[in-house]
Amino acid sequence: MPTHPQLLRARVVRSVRRSPSFQRVTIGGPELAGFSYAGFDHWFRLFLPPRPGAPLVLPQVRGRVWWQPYLDIPEDRRPHCSNYTVVDVRRRGEHTELDIDVVLHWDEGTGELAGPVAQWAASTAPGSELAILDQGPLFDPPADATAVHLAADETGLPGLRGILRDLPEHTRGTAIVEVPHADDVEDLAAPGGMRVSWVTRTVEGPGAAALARLRAAVVNGGAPAPQDYGFVVGEAALATGGRRALRAAGLPAARITFSGFWKHRLH
Ligand SMILES: Cc1cc2nc3c(=O)[nH]c(=O)nc-3n(C[C@H](O)[C@H](O)[C@H](O)COP(=O)(O)OP(=O)(O)OC[C@H]3O[C@@H](n4cnc5c(N)ncnc54)[C@H](O)[C@@H]3O)c2cc1C
């Protein structure tokens, strides 16, 4: 994480549906020229106006301190804040663009698009205001890691895509990605030694198919060596269950990064 994370204002350039579960929002603006992209799963905090048309009031960030200044903003003016991953950054002269892949998800009762960011992504127009607070990458393999084992659901797919793109060409290992629909599956650029497998959501709920695949891989000869590195992100039960499976297979805790990106109502 940067010592002095930057809070940068930007505007929506375009928003395009990519697949059944993903909306790609491209943002741009002069302040993004100051964004120092580290690749891999570089993530940031996304700030949106509390309501469409409301002004974007931002916290005063001092060093890494932003949470208390954020809470100090009166509730009706406080921006919405969520965590997202940089898909790509393009610089053309003075103009910088940054892509975000927002997972679209629907309320299981009403069938309506749910979640403030998913609703924003699907309805936002060019020119809409937002801001990002740089947080750096989460992926942090030890220098002596012999192989890497990655697992994620759709919220971790943007990060996994960046990690696979930026890993050194000689890297060996496995990557498991769970997506809600078969049409969310895509070609991922990855080192030749990385075995990438896709699973689609089952009735057991988010993350269950990826976790089952990870457990099966560990049992069927894919067990990590103690010097490997594990990285499991996505729905909370996938993150904790994945960590447990890798620990049981012999990977030390210090060689596993796991993070619950969201929580399903039944977990
Ligand atoms: C480091 C990091 C990077 C992330 N990168 C991305 C990214 O690139 N793209 C992305 O889409 N998400 C990403 N996420 C996950 C994202 O922050 C969460 O899904 C977040 O809850 C969405 O925010 P929200 O404000 O729209 O919904 P919230 O207000 O947080 O949640 C509203 C409701 O929606 C439910 N919900 C939230 N997310 C989902 C989902 N994916 N599927 C089904 N139900 C859900 C919640 O359980 C809750 O009931 C990332 C998370 C982290 C920690």
Side-chain angles (χ1 to χ4, degrees), residues 42-86:
H42 196 143
W43 67 285
F44 58 89
R45 300 193 194 273
L46 171 68
F47 293 91
L48 301 175
R51 295 167 299 285
L56 182 61
V57 179
L58 295 174
Q60 289 288 333
V61 179
R62 289 184 297 272
R64 288 180 176 168
V65 178
W66 70 277
W67 178 242
Q68 191 55 49
Y70 171 73
L71 292 182
D72 290 343
I73 301 172
E75 211 171 321
D76 63 325
R77 304 174 67 210
R78 192 181 302 151
H80 181 75
C81 177
S82 285
N83 304 322
Y84 281 82
T85 307
V86 180

Short mmCIF file of all heavy atoms in Angstrom, two decimals, residues 42-86:
data_model
loop_
_atom_site.label_atom_id
_atom_site.label_comp_id
_atom_site.label_asym_id
_atom_site.label_seq_id
_atom_site.Cartn_x
_atom_site.Cartn_y
_atom_site.Cartn_z
N HIS A 42 -3.89 -4.41 -8.60
CA HIS A 42 -3.90 -3.06 -8.00
C HIS A 42 -5.35 -2.62 -7.76
O HIS A 42 -6.14 -2.58 -8.68
CB HIS A 42 -3.20 -2.11 -8.98
CG HIS A 42 -2.80 -0.82 -8.36
ND1 HIS A 42 -1.64 -0.17 -8.71
CD2 HIS A 42 -3.39 -0.02 -7.43
CE1 HIS A 42 -1.52 0.94 -8.03
NE2 HIS A 42 -2.59 1.06 -7.25
N TRP A 43 -5.66 -2.28 -6.52
CA TRP A 43 -7.05 -1.93 -6.21
C TRP A 43 -7.15 -0.53 -5.62
O TRP A 43 -6.13 0.09 -5.30
CB TRP A 43 -7.68 -2.99 -5.29
CG TRP A 43 -7.13 -3.08 -3.91
CD1 TRP A 43 -5.94 -3.65 -3.55
CD2 TRP A 43 -7.73 -2.61 -2.69
NE1 TRP A 43 -5.78 -3.55 -2.18
CE2 TRP A 43 -6.84 -2.92 -1.62
CE3 TRP A 43 -8.92 -1.98 -2.39
CZ2 TRP A 43 -7.14 -2.60 -0.30
CZ3 TRP A 43 -9.21 -1.66 -1.06
CH2 TRP A 43 -8.33 -1.98 -0.03
N PHE A 44 -8.35 -0.07 -5.49
CA PHE A 44 -8.58 1.30 -5.02
C PHE A 44 -9.95 1.37 -4.36
O PHE A 44 -10.78 0.47 -4.52
CB PHE A 44 -8.49 2.29 -6.19
CG PHE A 44 -9.48 2.00 -7.29
CD1 PHE A 44 -10.75 2.54 -7.26
CD2 PHE A 44 -9.14 1.14 -8.33
CE1 PHE A 44 -11.67 2.24 -8.24
CE2 PHE A 44 -10.06 0.83 -9.32
CZ PHE A 44 -11.33 1.39 -9.29
N ARG A 45 -10.14 2.45 -3.59
CA ARG A 45 -11.47 2.71 -3.04
C ARG A 45 -12.17 3.67 -3.99
O ARG A 45 -11.58 4.68 -4.40
CB ARG A 45 -11.35 3.29 -1.63
CG ARG A 45 -10.63 2.33 -0.70
CD ARG A 45 -10.75 2.70 0.74
NE ARG A 45 -9.80 1.95 1.55
CZ ARG A 45 -10.02 0.74 2.07
NH1 ARG A 45 -11.16 0.13 1.86
NH2 ARG A 45 -9.10 0.13 2.80
N LEU A 46 -13.39 3.31 -4.33
CA LEU A 46 -14.17 4.10 -5.29
C LEU A 46 -15.17 4.96 -4.51
O LEU A 46 -15.91 4.44 -3.67
CB LEU A 46 -14.92 3.14 -6.22
CG LEU A 46 -15.96 3.73 -7.17
CD1 LEU A 46 -15.29 4.59 -8.24
CD2 LEU A 46 -16.75 2.60 -7.84
N PHE A 47 -15.16 6.26 -4.75
CA PHE A 47 -16.11 7.17 -4.10
C PHE A 47 -17.10 7.68 -5.14
O PHE A 47 -16.70 8.20 -6.19
CB PHE A 47 -15.37 8.36 -3.48
CG PHE A 47 -14.48 7.98 -2.33
CD1 PHE A 47 -13.15 7.65 -2.55
CD2 PHE A 47 -14.98 7.93 -1.03
CE1 PHE A 47 -12.32 7.30 -1.48
CE2 PHE A 47 -14.16 7.57 0.04
CZ PHE A 47 -12.83 7.25 -0.19
N LEU A 48 -18.39 7.53 -4.81
CA LEU A 48 -19.46 8.00 -5.70
C LEU A 48 -20.34 8.98 -4.94
O LEU A 48 -20.49 8.86 -3.71
CB LEU A 48 -20.34 6.82 -6.14
CG LEU A 48 -19.66 5.68 -6.88
CD1 LEU A 48 -20.66 4.55 -7.12
CD2 LEU A 48 -19.08 6.18 -8.20
N PRO A 49 -20.97 9.95 -5.63
CA PRO A 49 -21.91 10.83 -4.95
C PRO A 49 -22.99 10.00 -4.25
O PRO A 49 -23.35 8.92 -4.74
CB PRO A 49 -22.52 11.66 -6.09
CG PRO A 49 -21.54 11.56 -7.20
CD PRO A 49 -20.88 10.22 -7.08
N PRO A 50 -23.49 10.46 -3.10
CA PRO A 50 -24.46 9.64 -2.34
C PRO A 50 -25.75 9.37 -3.11
O PRO A 50 -26.41 8.37 -2.86
CB PRO A 50 -24.73 10.49 -1.09
CG PRO A 50 -24.24 11.87 -1.41
CD PRO A 50 -23.18 11.74 -2.44
N ARG A 51 -26.11 10.29 -4.02
CA ARG A 51 -27.29 10.12 -4.87
C ARG A 51 -26.96 10.68 -6.24
O ARG A 51 -26.13 11.61 -6.33
CB ARG A 51 -28.49 10.94 -4.33
CG ARG A 51 -29.03 10.50 -2.99
CD ARG A 51 -29.98 11.55 -2.42
NE ARG A 51 -29.33 12.84 -2.20
CZ ARG A 51 -28.49 13.09 -1.19
NH1 ARG A 51 -28.18 12.16 -0.32
NH2 ARG A 51 -27.94 14.29 -1.07
N PRO A 52 -27.61 10.19 -7.31
CA PRO A 52 -27.35 10.77 -8.63
C PRO A 52 -27.61 12.28 -8.58
O PRO A 52 -28.62 12.72 -8.02
CB PRO A 52 -28.35 10.06 -9.54
CG PRO A 52 -28.71 8.80 -8.83
CD PRO A 52 -28.58 9.10 -7.36
N GLY A 53 -26.67 13.07 -9.09
CA GLY A 53 -26.85 14.52 -9.13
C GLY A 53 -26.35 15.24 -7.88
O GLY A 53 -26.18 16.46 -7.90
N ALA A 54 -26.10 14.51 -6.78
CA ALA A 54 -25.59 15.14 -5.55
C ALA A 54 -24.12 15.47 -5.74
O ALA A 54 -23.42 14.80 -6.48
CB ALA A 54 -25.77 14.20 -4.36
N PRO A 55 -23.63 16.53 -5.05
CA PRO A 55 -22.20 16.86 -5.18
C PRO A 55 -21.32 15.78 -4.57
O PRO A 55 -21.74 15.09 -3.64
CB PRO A 55 -22.07 18.19 -4.42
CG PRO A 55 -23.27 18.29 -3.56
CD PRO A 55 -24.35 17.45 -4.15
N LEU A 56 -20.11 15.64 -5.11
CA LEU A 56 -19.16 14.66 -4.59
C LEU A 56 -18.27 15.34 -3.55
O LEU A 56 -17.36 16.09 -3.89
CB LEU A 56 -18.31 14.09 -5.74
CG LEU A 56 -17.30 13.01 -5.35
CD1 LEU A 56 -17.99 11.78 -4.76
CD2 LEU A 56 -16.46 12.61 -6.56
N VAL A 57 -18.57 15.09 -2.27
CA VAL A 57 -17.79 15.67 -1.17
C VAL A 57 -16.79 14.61 -0.73
O VAL A 57 -17.17 13.48 -0.41
CB VAL A 57 -18.72 16.02 0.02
CG1 VAL A 57 -17.93 16.59 1.19
CG2 VAL A 57 -19.80 16.99 -0.43
N LEU A 58 -15.50 14.95 -0.72
CA LEU A 58 -14.47 13.95 -0.45
C LEU A 58 -13.79 14.19 0.90
O LEU A 58 -13.67 15.34 1.34
CB LEU A 58 -13.42 13.97 -1.57
CG LEU A 58 -13.96 13.54 -2.93
CD1 LEU A 58 -12.89 13.73 -4.00
CD2 LEU A 58 -14.42 12.09 -2.90
N PRO A 59 -13.32 13.10 1.56
CA PRO A 59 -12.61 13.27 2.84
C PRO A 59 -11.23 13.89 2.61
O PRO A 59 -10.66 13.75 1.53
CB PRO A 59 -12.46 11.82 3.34
CG PRO A 59 -12.53 10.97 2.12
CD PRO A 59 -13.41 11.69 1.14
N GLN A 60 -10.71 14.57 3.63
CA GLN A 60 -9.32 15.07 3.61
C GLN A 60 -8.43 13.88 3.97
O GLN A 60 -8.47 13.40 5.10
CB GLN A 60 -9.13 16.15 4.68
CG GLN A 60 -9.82 17.47 4.37
CD GLN A 60 -9.10 18.22 3.26
OE1 GLN A 60 -7.90 18.04 3.08
NE2 GLN A 60 -9.83 19.02 2.52
N VAL A 61 -7.64 13.40 3.02
CA VAL A 61 -6.78 12.25 3.29
C VAL A 61 -5.44 12.77 3.83
O VAL A 61 -4.82 13.64 3.22
CB VAL A 61 -6.56 11.41 2.01
CG1 VAL A 61 -5.63 10.24 2.29
CG2 VAL A 61 -7.89 10.92 1.46
N ARG A 62 -5.02 12.22 5.01
CA ARG A 62 -3.72 12.61 5.57
C ARG A 62 -2.88 11.34 5.70
O ARG A 62 -3.19 10.48 6.53
CB ARG A 62 -3.89 13.26 6.94
CG ARG A 62 -4.52 14.66 6.86
CD ARG A 62 -4.59 15.30 8.24
NE ARG A 62 -5.45 14.54 9.14
CZ ARG A 62 -6.77 14.74 9.25
NH1 ARG A 62 -7.36 15.67 8.53
NH2 ARG A 62 -7.50 14.00 10.07
N GLY A 63 -1.84 11.21 4.88
CA GLY A 63 -1.07 9.96 4.86
C GLY A 63 -2.03 8.83 4.50
O GLY A 63 -2.74 8.92 3.51
N ARG A 64 -2.05 7.80 5.36
CA ARG A 64 -2.98 6.68 5.08
C ARG A 64 -4.31 6.85 5.79
O ARG A 64 -5.17 5.97 5.75
CB ARG A 64 -2.34 5.37 5.53
CG ARG A 64 -1.19 4.96 4.62
CD ARG A 64 -0.60 3.66 5.09
NE ARG A 64 0.44 3.21 4.17
CZ ARG A 64 1.29 2.25 4.44
NH1 ARG A 64 1.23 1.62 5.58
NH2 ARG A 64 2.19 1.90 3.56
N VAL A 65 -4.48 7.96 6.49
CA VAL A 65 -5.70 8.18 7.28
C VAL A 65 -6.80 8.78 6.41
O VAL A 65 -6.66 9.89 5.89
CB VAL A 65 -5.41 9.11 8.49
CG1 VAL A 65 -6.67 9.37 9.28
CG2 VAL A 65 -4.32 8.53 9.37
N TRP A 66 -7.87 8.02 6.24
CA TRP A 66 -9.00 8.53 5.44
C TRP A 66 -10.35 8.16 6.06
O TRP A 66 -11.34 8.83 5.83
CB TRP A 66 -8.94 7.98 4.01
CG TRP A 66 -9.24 6.50 3.97
CD1 TRP A 66 -8.35 5.49 4.22
CD2 TRP A 66 -10.50 5.88 3.73
NE1 TRP A 66 -8.99 4.28 4.14
CE2 TRP A 66 -10.31 4.49 3.83
CE3 TRP A 66 -11.77 6.37 3.41
CZ2 TRP A 66 -11.35 3.58 3.66
CZ3 TRP A 66 -12.81 5.46 3.23
CH2 TRP A 66 -12.59 4.08 3.36
N TRP A 67 -10.36 7.11 6.90
CA TRP A 67 -11.64 6.56 7.36
C TRP A 67 -12.37 7.54 8.30
O TRP A 67 -13.56 7.81 8.11
CB TRP A 67 -11.39 5.20 8.01
CG TRP A 67 -12.61 4.53 8.59
CD1 TRP A 67 -12.84 4.21 9.89
CD2 TRP A 67 -13.77 4.09 7.86
NE1 TRP A 67 -14.06 3.60 10.01
CE2 TRP A 67 -14.65 3.52 8.79
CE3 TRP A 67 -14.15 4.14 6.51
CZ2 TRP A 67 -15.88 2.99 8.43
CZ3 TRP A 67 -15.39 3.62 6.15
CH2 TRP A 67 -16.24 3.06 7.10
N GLN A 68 -11.62 8.07 9.32
CA GLN A 68 -12.28 9.00 10.24
C GLN A 68 -12.72 10.28 9.52
O GLN A 68 -13.87 10.71 9.67
CB GLN A 68 -11.39 9.30 11.45
CG GLN A 68 -12.13 10.03 12.58
CD GLN A 68 -13.38 9.27 13.04
OE1 GLN A 68 -13.33 8.07 13.30
NE2 GLN A 68 -14.53 9.97 13.11
N PRO A 69 -11.84 10.89 8.69
CA PRO A 69 -12.31 12.06 7.92
C PRO A 69 -13.53 11.74 7.05
O PRO A 69 -14.42 12.57 6.88
CB PRO A 69 -11.09 12.43 7.05
CG PRO A 69 -9.91 11.88 7.79
CD PRO A 69 -10.38 10.67 8.52
N TYR A 70 -13.58 10.50 6.55
CA TYR A 70 -14.74 10.07 5.74
C TYR A 70 -16.00 10.05 6.60
O TYR A 70 -17.06 10.59 6.23
CB TYR A 70 -14.43 8.69 5.15
CG TYR A 70 -15.59 8.00 4.46
CD1 TYR A 70 -16.04 8.44 3.21
CD2 TYR A 70 -16.21 6.89 5.04
CE1 TYR A 70 -17.10 7.79 2.58
CE2 TYR A 70 -17.27 6.25 4.42
CZ TYR A 70 -17.71 6.71 3.19
OH TYR A 70 -18.77 6.08 2.57
N LEU A 71 -15.89 9.45 7.83
CA LEU A 71 -17.04 9.37 8.73
C LEU A 71 -17.46 10.75 9.23
O LEU A 71 -18.62 10.96 9.60
CB LEU A 71 -16.72 8.48 9.93
CG LEU A 71 -16.53 6.99 9.63
CD1 LEU A 71 -16.25 6.23 10.93
CD2 LEU A 71 -17.74 6.40 8.92
N ASP A 72 -16.51 11.69 9.24
CA ASP A 72 -16.81 13.05 9.71
C ASP A 72 -17.70 13.82 8.72
O ASP A 72 -18.27 14.85 9.08
CB ASP A 72 -15.51 13.84 9.96
CG ASP A 72 -14.76 13.31 11.18
OD1 ASP A 72 -15.38 12.58 11.98
OD2 ASP A 72 -13.55 13.59 11.30
N ILE A 73 -17.79 13.35 7.49
CA ILE A 73 -18.67 14.01 6.52
C ILE A 73 -20.12 13.70 6.91
O ILE A 73 -20.46 12.53 7.14
CB ILE A 73 -18.40 13.52 5.07
CG1 ILE A 73 -16.93 13.77 4.68
CG2 ILE A 73 -19.35 14.16 4.06
CD1 ILE A 73 -16.53 13.15 3.35
N PRO A 74 -20.98 14.71 7.06
CA PRO A 74 -22.38 14.43 7.45
C PRO A 74 -23.01 13.37 6.53
O PRO A 74 -22.75 13.35 5.32
CB PRO A 74 -23.07 15.79 7.27
CG PRO A 74 -21.97 16.79 7.32
CD PRO A 74 -20.73 16.12 6.80
N GLU A 75 -23.80 12.49 7.15
CA GLU A 75 -24.28 11.30 6.46
C GLU A 75 -24.97 11.59 5.12
O GLU A 75 -24.77 10.86 4.15
CB GLU A 75 -25.22 10.54 7.39
CG GLU A 75 -25.19 9.06 7.14
CD GLU A 75 -25.97 8.30 8.21
OE1 GLU A 75 -25.89 8.69 9.40
OE2 GLU A 75 -26.66 7.34 7.83
N ASP A 76 -25.77 12.67 5.06
CA ASP A 76 -26.51 12.91 3.82
C ASP A 76 -25.60 13.44 2.70
O ASP A 76 -26.00 13.45 1.54
CB ASP A 76 -27.67 13.89 4.06
CG ASP A 76 -27.18 15.25 4.50
OD1 ASP A 76 -26.17 15.31 5.22
OD2 ASP A 76 -27.79 16.25 4.08
N ARG A 77 -24.36 13.84 3.06
CA ARG A 77 -23.43 14.33 2.04
C ARG A 77 -22.28 13.35 1.81
O ARG A 77 -21.47 13.53 0.90
CB ARG A 77 -22.88 15.70 2.44
CG ARG A 77 -23.99 16.72 2.68
CD ARG A 77 -23.43 18.01 3.22
NE ARG A 77 -22.60 18.66 2.21
CZ ARG A 77 -21.55 19.44 2.48
NH1 ARG A 77 -21.19 19.64 3.72
NH2 ARG A 77 -20.88 20.00 1.52
N ARG A 78 -22.19 12.32 2.69
CA ARG A 78 -21.06 11.38 2.63
C ARG A 78 -21.12 10.56 1.34
O ARG A 78 -22.17 9.99 1.01
CB ARG A 78 -21.12 10.45 3.84
CG ARG A 78 -19.85 9.63 4.03
CD ARG A 78 -19.99 8.72 5.23
NE ARG A 78 -20.28 9.46 6.45
CZ ARG A 78 -20.97 8.98 7.48
NH1 ARG A 78 -21.46 7.74 7.45
NH2 ARG A 78 -21.20 9.71 8.55
N PRO A 79 -20.00 10.45 0.60
CA PRO A 79 -20.05 9.67 -0.64
C PRO A 79 -20.17 8.18 -0.35
O PRO A 79 -19.78 7.72 0.73
CB PRO A 79 -18.70 9.99 -1.31
CG PRO A 79 -17.80 10.40 -0.19
CD PRO A 79 -18.68 11.04 0.85
N HIS A 80 -20.68 7.42 -1.32
CA HIS A 80 -20.67 5.97 -1.20
C HIS A 80 -19.25 5.50 -1.47
O HIS A 80 -18.57 6.04 -2.34
CB HIS A 80 -21.64 5.34 -2.21
CG HIS A 80 -21.67 3.86 -2.09
ND1 HIS A 80 -22.31 3.21 -1.05
CD2 HIS A 80 -21.08 2.89 -2.83
CE1 HIS A 80 -22.13 1.92 -1.17
NE2 HIS A 80 -21.39 1.69 -2.24
N CYS A 81 -18.78 4.50 -0.73
CA CYS A 81 -17.40 4.01 -0.90
C CYS A 81 -17.37 2.49 -0.99
O CYS A 81 -17.96 1.82 -0.14
CB CYS A 81 -16.54 4.48 0.27
SG CYS A 81 -14.87 3.87 0.19
N SER A 82 -16.71 1.95 -2.01
CA SER A 82 -16.54 0.49 -2.17
C SER A 82 -15.18 0.22 -2.79
O SER A 82 -14.56 1.13 -3.33
CB SER A 82 -17.61 -0.09 -3.10
OG SER A 82 -18.84 -0.15 -2.46
N ASN A 83 -14.77 -1.05 -2.75
CA ASN A 83 -13.43 -1.41 -3.23
C ASN A 83 -13.49 -2.01 -4.64
O ASN A 83 -14.31 -2.90 -4.90
CB ASN A 83 -12.81 -2.43 -2.28
CG ASN A 83 -12.78 -1.91 -0.86
OD1 ASN A 83 -12.54 -0.72 -0.64
ND2 ASN A 83 -13.05 -2.77 0.10
N TYR A 84 -12.60 -1.57 -5.52
CA TYR A 84 -12.56 -2.08 -6.89
C TYR A 84 -11.13 -2.24 -7.39
O TYR A 84 -10.19 -1.74 -6.75
CB TYR A 84 -13.41 -1.19 -7.83
CG TYR A 84 -14.87 -1.56 -7.64
CD1 TYR A 84 -15.60 -1.04 -6.58
CD2 TYR A 84 -15.45 -2.53 -8.42
CE1 TYR A 84 -16.89 -1.46 -6.32
CE2 TYR A 84 -16.75 -2.95 -8.18
CZ TYR A 84 -17.46 -2.42 -7.14
OH TYR A 84 -18.72 -2.86 -6.89
N THR A 85 -10.97 -2.96 -8.49
CA THR A 85 -9.65 -3.31 -9.03
C THR A 85 -9.42 -2.60 -10.36
O THR A 85 -10.35 -2.52 -11.17
CB THR A 85 -9.59 -4.84 -9.25
OG1 THR A 85 -9.96 -5.49 -8.04
CG2 THR A 85 -8.20 -5.29 -9.68
N VAL A 86 -8.21 -2.16 -10.57
CA VAL A 86 -7.88 -1.55 -11.87
C VAL A 86 -7.76 -2.66 -12.91
O VAL A 86 -7.01 -3.62 -12.71
CB VAL A 86 -6.51 -0.82 -11.79
CG1 VAL A 86 -6.16 -0.19 -13.14
CG2 VAL A 86 -6.51 0.22 -10.68
#
